Amino acid sequence: MERITAKRRDEFIAALEEAGGSSGNGALRRALDWNEEFYWKVQGHLIEQGLIVAGRGKGGSVRLTEAQVAMSDEPTEAAMELPAVPAKERDLYADLKATIETKWINRFALDDVLVDETHSRGSRNTGGTFTRPDITAAGVRRYVYLPKRLEIVTFEVKPASNLSVMGVLEAIAHREAAHRAYVIFATSRAKFEASTESERILELSQKYGIGLLLSEQPKNVETWEVLLDAVRHEPDPSRLDRFLIDLPNELMKKQLSKWKE
């Protein structure tokens, strides 16, 4: 059998980069025009070296690791023109809130939408850290024959440096007092899929009905990608009422009170 050389390793990585950083095994093998036995030998070698990781899909798939993506990403002219994304979570809130409020939330066809940062509520006891979503959207859904209904959508925000299941676990807690709960990772799809916890994040989100958003550029909604849409459900009324009572923005609460009329 043919030996695994540096040239062959580079060919494999280059083909995977050409495919966008991830690919099904069958498609990648055909692109390389290698026989199956040699392909699997090189694939196993690169996994052992930590350059790629195995993924899901029919016939299996592979993707570049996060470290390899960082090494192989040559900034294009267009990419160099993109504004830098804040590295700290708290620096993401304002831009994400503005984009949700002006554009993204429109997908739910709600009326009288209010969006606010709700990550901090001072020293007030709200039942634990996980009960505080970073951003909360409230809106009214009107029907032809049915009474209008208040709808709450929550968002947990995580920077590119924190691609872990923690964001999903927090969103699960938020879902107890919301109709829909999302976690937003401020990163690209390629970097998300290259992260070590991406599969676990997807599995937990699907299991508990959590929405999964990727926001490569928080100010540009066209760079946002919905990997999973949140499953709508009816939260316990007492938990929802407590959540609304604990909102930090008094003006928002005053407006919500008017909607009851």
Side-chain angles (χ1 to χ4, degrees), residues 14-62:
L16 197 50
E17 290 173 356
E18 183 69 23
S22 63
S23 174
N25 285 307
L28 188 60
R29 185 180 67 80
R30 289 190 294 273
L32 289 164
D33 195 23
W34 291 354
N35 65 59
E36 286 194 40
E37 189 175 1
F38 184 65
Y39 173 86
W40 290 111
K41 183 177 180 181
V42 176
Q43 190 234 47
H45 173 77
L46 293 176
I47 289 175
E48 288 179 1
Q49 294 294 309
L51 299 177
I52 63 172
V53 291
R56 298 178 296 180
K58 186 177 180 181
S61 61
V62 287

Side-chain angles (χ1 to χ4, degrees), residues 202-239:
L202 284 164
E203 289 171 1
L204 278 178
S205 297
Q206 287 178 320
K207 182 176 181 179
Y208 292 100
I210 301 302
L212 185 54
L213 294 175
L214 302 181
S215 171
E216 189 170 0
Q217 291 291 321
K219 291 183 179 181
N220 184 2
V221 74
E222 292 183 0
T223 70
W224 290 33
E225 183 173 1
V226 180
L227 293 188
L228 291 172
D229 232 331
V231 177
R232 188 192 181 282
H233 83 125
E234 285 294 333
D236 180 85
S238 61
R239 288 184 179 273

Side-chain angles (χ1 to χ4, degrees), residues 244-258:
L244 298 176
I245 290 171
D246 289 328
L247 287 172
N249 189 325
E250 293 300 324
L251 291 176
M252 187 177 190
K253 287 195 287 188
K254 187 176 293 186
Q255 183 61 46
L256 290 174
S257 295
K258 290 181 180 179

Side-chain angles (χ1 to χ4, degrees), residues 50-124:
L51 299 177
I52 63 172
V53 291
R56 298 178 296 180
K58 186 177 180 181
S61 61
V62 287
R63 63 178 184 270
L64 296 173
T65 62
E66 194 165 356
Q68 187 63 27
V69 169
M71 289 175 59
S72 61
D73 269 350
E74 292 295 333
T76 62
E77 184 177 343
M80 291 174 68
E81 293 175 356
L82 292 175
V85 176
K88 295 182 179 179
E89 180 178 320
R90 64 175 177 268
D91 295 331
L92 292 164
Y93 297 148
D95 289 341
L96 289 171
K97 170 188 173 293
T99 303
I100 290 169
E101 187 172 28
T102 59
K103 297 175 182 177
W104 196 84
I105 200 68
N106 295 336
R107 68 204 309 269
F108 296 120
L110 299 174
D111 296 322
D112 307 319
V113 175
L114 298 173
V115 182
D116 195 28
E117 295 179 31
T118 50
H119 46 84
S120 177
R121 300 178 193 172
S123 59
R124 183 180 299 171

